[in-house]
Amino acid sequence: MSAAKPDTARMSTLENGRPMQPAGTPGGKPPAEGSIVERVLASRKLANLTILGLFVVIFVVFSLASPSGTFLTTSNVQSIALAASGILLLGAGVTYLLIAGGLDLSVGAIIVFASVAAATYMTGAGEGGASGGRVALGLLIGVLLGTVWGLFNGLVVVKTRIPPFIATLASSTVILGLAQVWTGGLNVSGVPNGLQSSFGLGSLFGVPWPVVVTVVVVAVLWVVLAGTRLGLRLYAIGANPESARRAGIDVGRYTIGVYALVGLLAGIAGDLDLTRFTTATVNGYASTALNVITAVVIGGTSLWGGRGGMLGTVVGSLIPATLTSGFVILGLQPFWQNVAVGLVLLLAVSIDQYRRTKLTTG
């Protein structure tokens, strides 16, 4: 219990997910204020407003440029939300991870392994078909195995101190390889169609069930990140792990926990895809990790840890889906989405680097 006091004292010095600057420098001189523009650029609020404004501009441009009754329709908005929900679900966990100073390139492989495990169990009932209980247990197996792989990643990163980029790149190869060995490189089909009709393609008040699940999960994680001590500690770990340790935070335990969270969300994503397509695809998620990281970074979360938020991730996930929809409706090659997203990503990282430089140099 005594360890909580220094932790609280250190935590009270945090503002917007980063340590507050002291009133003066060690020499007694106040820090340079800089211009108004520089100080505003360093604020997280402006980053959120910028990315939100960019999304609004993209949406309005496509709404005006598209033929009437094509882009701004209920069905198209539902399609955009459904396309963005898969990235957003994973992006919520990756937001936690990047804020805490981690990185995970294995989410796509975990989705494959989890969905293969779930589908294999469901389709193992024989000619009688899978019962409701067997389907539910299969989905639970997918989530549990996703969590296990997340724990594995966290333990490797924390215990071996291998850089997360290398550790999760290696684990991605291992996880995907095991899934391919398990299935012989073939997709697993035969999942009960009732799962697709009742849930995967079903809706609640016009909102697809996968979107509903994503909204609920993201809302919970948003509240935890923005309004609890757990969220504050993740910001502290990402901003300065050594200072967080001195404040009494078990950095290793929190880091492992965040990797487990990402694995759990990947397991849920695998299950949701299984309900939509009734097939576990072995080779369909090669670019998932990069797409998720791109969306999160576009949303303003720093690749260097200690800074970010869920609002930016929500908007960052919507932008690629909106671009794809708009390009298709306008008859443009959807590959232009890659160009547009790449340029936005470059701009987002450049702004983040500028903010970090200003915070470091004062």
Side-chain angles (χ1 to χ4, degrees), residues 11-108:
M11 293 291 90
S12 65
T13 65
L14 290 174
E15 179 183 37
N16 291 330
R18 61 181 178 85
M20 294 176 61
Q21 298 296 322
T25 61
K29 297 180 181 180
E33 292 187 8
S35 68
I36 294 178
V37 174
E38 291 171 341
R39 281 182 287 153
V40 172
L41 281 174
S43 69
R44 201 172 98 198
K45 183 179 292 186
L46 179 68
N48 288 336
L49 290 175
T50 301
I51 191 65
L52 184 59
L54 177 62
F55 171 70
V56 171
V57 169
I58 292 173
F59 197 87
V60 169
V61 167
F62 281 132
S63 299
L64 297 176
S66 301
S68 177
T70 55
F71 183 81
L72 199 59
T73 62
T74 301
S75 61
N76 190 56
V77 171
Q78 287 179 339
S79 297
I80 292 174
L82 194 58
S85 64
I87 297 295
L88 177 56
L89 180 63
L90 298 168
V94 172
T95 300
Y96 272 57
L97 188 58
L98 290 183
I99 287 174
L103 185 68
D104 193 345
L105 299 178
S106 69
V107 289

Side-chain angles (χ1 to χ4, degrees), residues 16-357:
N16 291 330
R18 61 181 178 85
M20 294 176 61
Q21 298 296 322
T25 61
K29 297 180 181 180
E33 292 187 8
S35 68
I36 294 178
V37 174
E38 291 171 341
R39 281 182 287 153
V40 172
L41 281 174
S43 69
R44 201 172 98 198
K45 183 179 292 186
L46 179 68
N48 288 336
L49 290 175
T50 301
I51 191 65
L52 184 59
L54 177 62
F55 171 70
V56 171
V57 169
I58 292 173
F59 197 87
V60 169
V61 167
F62 281 132
S63 299
L64 297 176
S66 301
S68 177
T70 55
F71 183 81
L72 199 59
T73 62
T74 301
S75 61
N76 190 56
V77 171
Q78 287 179 339
S79 297
I80 292 174
L82 194 58
S85 64
I87 297 295
L88 177 56
L89 180 63
L90 298 168
V94 172
T95 300
Y96 272 57
L97 188 58
L98 290 183
I99 287 174
L103 185 68
D104 193 345
L105 299 178
S106 69
V107 289
I110 294 176
I111 290 176
V112 171
F113 193 95
S115 60
V116 163
T120 300
Y121 183 80
M122 290 181 198
T123 57
E127 296 182 358
S131 64
R134 190 176 185 90
V135 169
L137 185 55
L139 295 174
L140 179 61
I141 288 173
V143 174
L144 290 177
L145 287 177
T147 307
V148 168
W149 281 120
L151 281 171
F152 174 80
N153 283 335
L155 288 169
V156 170
V157 170
V158 171
K159 299 303 182 181
T160 68
R161 299 193 177 184
I162 297 174
F165 179 89
I166 301 299
T168 58
L169 180 62
S171 69
S172 175
T173 304
V174 171
I175 297 168
L176 182 59
L178 289 174
Q180 291 170 331
V181 169
W182 188 351
T183 65
L186 302 176
N187 297 337
V188 181
S189 57
V191 173
N193 291 327
L195 185 62
Q196 182 187 55
S197 59
S198 63
F199 189 88
L201 300 181
S203 63
L204 178 66
F205 304 116
V207 181
W209 274 113
V211 177
V212 173
V213 172
T214 298
V215 169
V216 171
V217 172
V218 171
V220 171
L221 293 177
W222 194 335
V223 170
V224 171
L225 181 64
T228 69
R229 180 173 291 187
L230 170 61
L232 202 57
R233 288 176 175 176
L234 294 179
Y235 281 110
I237 291 170
N240 193 323
E242 187 56 37
S243 294
R245 288 188 183 91
R246 293 176 180 177
I249 300 175
D250 190 338
V251 173
R253 182 165 61 91
Y254 278 97
T255 300
I256 293 172
V258 175
Y259 276 101
L261 172 65
V262 173
L264 182 147
L265 294 177
I268 295 175
D271 282 350
L272 291 179
D273 282 358
L274 201 58
T275 65
R276 290 179 60 194
F277 307 115
T278 68
T279 299
T281 305
V282 178
N283 298 308
Y285 298 90
S287 61
T288 298
L290 293 180
N291 291 339
V292 172
I293 294 170
T294 296
V296 174
V297 173
I298 286 176
T301 298
S302 176
L303 282 168
W304 291 273
R307 185 182 297 276
M310 205 61 73
L311 174 60
T313 297
V314 172
V315 180
S317 300
L318 286 169
I319 286 177
T322 305
L323 288 171
T324 300
S325 176
F327 288 149
V328 170
I329 289 174
L330 292 178
L332 300 174
Q333 289 186 0
F335 304 114
W336 280 107
Q337 174 208 334
N338 297 331
V339 177
V341 170
L343 291 174
V344 174
L345 176 61
L346 183 62
L347 177 62
V349 175
S350 298
I351 293 174
D352 181 50
Q353 183 64 32
Y354 177 81
R355 289 158 56 196
R356 289 179 68 249
T357 301

